[in-house]
Amino acid sequence: NAGVTQTPKFQVLKTGQSMTLQCAQDMNHEYMSWYRQDPGMGLRLIHYSVGAGITDQGEVPNGYNVSRSTTEDFPLRLLSAAPSQTSVYFCASKPARWADTQYFGPGTRLTVL
Amino acid sequence: AQKITQTQPGMFVQEKEAVTLDCTYDTSDPSYGLFWYKQPSSGEMIFLIYQGSYDQQNATEGRYSLNFQKARKSANLVISASQLGDSAMYFCAMRELRDDKIIFGKGTRLHILP
């Protein structure tokens, strides 16, 4: 039982490049979410999903796309990276939308030059 | 408007003393949940404690307790007998039942001094 896994752990991009941050969980959790963490800003919700095929926007969705084709996977896509997207990205999951405890992945540190 | 406010950017506390980390929240939803997470220097997010808005008693988990004052809209985390390993960033978060989002505060960095 690996919990919530994220790949890669570190990534450097040039402005305008695209990439996908991967997130997977093996706990059969319905609810998954993506956050970004910037110094002094705490964690801000980017997108979330309450189940396969269902996604919705969080606080800071601009510049990011998500899809949820399976229960296990919730990738985050940056279509055209910008320096403002330099951040640490966390994926999280919980059993269902009303569940209390959310489990976090280890994070991906992204730098956009 | 900020939904979760943590007014203490940083705190220094002597080892073995009790610590209170402040958190106030703003919601009009009568049903909500409040969370505290710990983030050590290694970066992972560790769930500490949860309080539901209808829970009659304050939540406790080992050395952690949540001082829930509903009328004041505050959900302070109390750590008893602090240890050096408690040095970390602490985040308060809230989920409104009408919404699926979990919103975090900006965090408080706690330093435990030997």
Side-chain angles (χ1 to χ4, degrees):
Chain A
N1 195 333
V4 180
T5 57
Q6 292 183 238
T7 55
K9 287 190 175 180
F10 302 94
Q11 182 71 49
V12 179
L13 292 178
K14 293 181 180 178
T15 296
Q17 286 185 317
S18 63
M19 82 157 295
T20 300
L21 305 186
Q22 301 292 345
C23 174
Q25 50 87 13
D26 61 359
M27 299 175 281
N28 201 31
H29 286 177
E30 291 184 357
Y31 184 102
M32 297 184 74
S33 56
W34 276 102
Y35 292 86
R36 61 177 288 174
Q37 183 177 23
D38 303 297
M41 298 295 294
L43 278 80
R44 292 184 291 169
L45 183 65
I46 304 172
H47 286 285
Y48 65 98
S49 168
V50 299
I54 306 169
T55 63
D56 208 342
Q57 296 181 348
E59 300 172 86
V60 288
N62 293 341
Y64 307 95
N65 281 349
V66 292
S67 60
R68 184 94 180 269
S69 55
T70 67
T71 299
E72 295 78 19
D73 300 299
F74 191 43
L76 179 72
R77 296 184 186 85
L78 285 71
L79 297 178
S80 179
S84 60
Q85 293 179 305
T86 293
S87 190
V88 179
Y89 291 84
F90 286 97
C91 180
S93 75
K94 57 179 182 169
R97 60 201 302 178
W98 309 127
D100 298 331
T101 306
Q102 185 162 233
Y103 300 86
F104 281 82
T108 293
R109 186 174 292 275
L110 175 68
T111 301
V112 183
L113 303 175
Chain B
Q2 268 191 321
K3 290 211 166 187
I4 295 285
T5 302
Q6 294 181 252
T7 57
Q8 307 150 309
M11 286 185 69
F12 290 83
V13 172
Q14 208 67 40
E15 190 180 8
K16 297 191 177 77
E17 289 184 352
V19 181
T20 297
L21 304 181
D22 296 340
C23 173
T24 57
Y25 59 92
D26 181 29
T27 180
S28 56
D29 191 337
S31 300
Y32 53 90
L34 297 154
F35 309 79
W36 277 92
Y37 283 85
K38 172 184 179 181
Q39 186 179 42
S41 57
S42 51
E44 73 268 32
M45 295 289 290
I46 302 168
F47 167 77
L48 294 178
I49 198 166
Y50 168 81
Q51 178 87 41
S53 60
Y54 291 117
D55 292 342
Q56 296 293 323
Q57 293 188 322
N58 287 345
T60 60
E61 290 286 348
R63 294 186 299 113
Y64 303 108
S65 60
L66 200 152
N67 185 359
F68 182 45
Q69 298 190 38
K70 199 169 182 176
R72 294 185 180 182
K73 293 188 175 178
S74 86
N76 297 342
L77 177 71
V78 179
I79 306 174
S80 63
S82 59
Q83 302 171 357
L84 295 178
D86 293 332
S87 293
M89 196 78 171
Y90 288 81
F91 292 98
C92 180
M94 178 178 70
R95 170 176 61 81
E96 295 168 314
L97 201 65
R98 64 185 173 192
D99 200 343
D100 293 317
K101 302 172 188 173
I102 300 175
I103 304 299
F104 283 75
K106 295 186 178 182
T108 295
R109 184 167 296 281
L110 176 64
H111 303 268
I112 305 297
L113 304 172

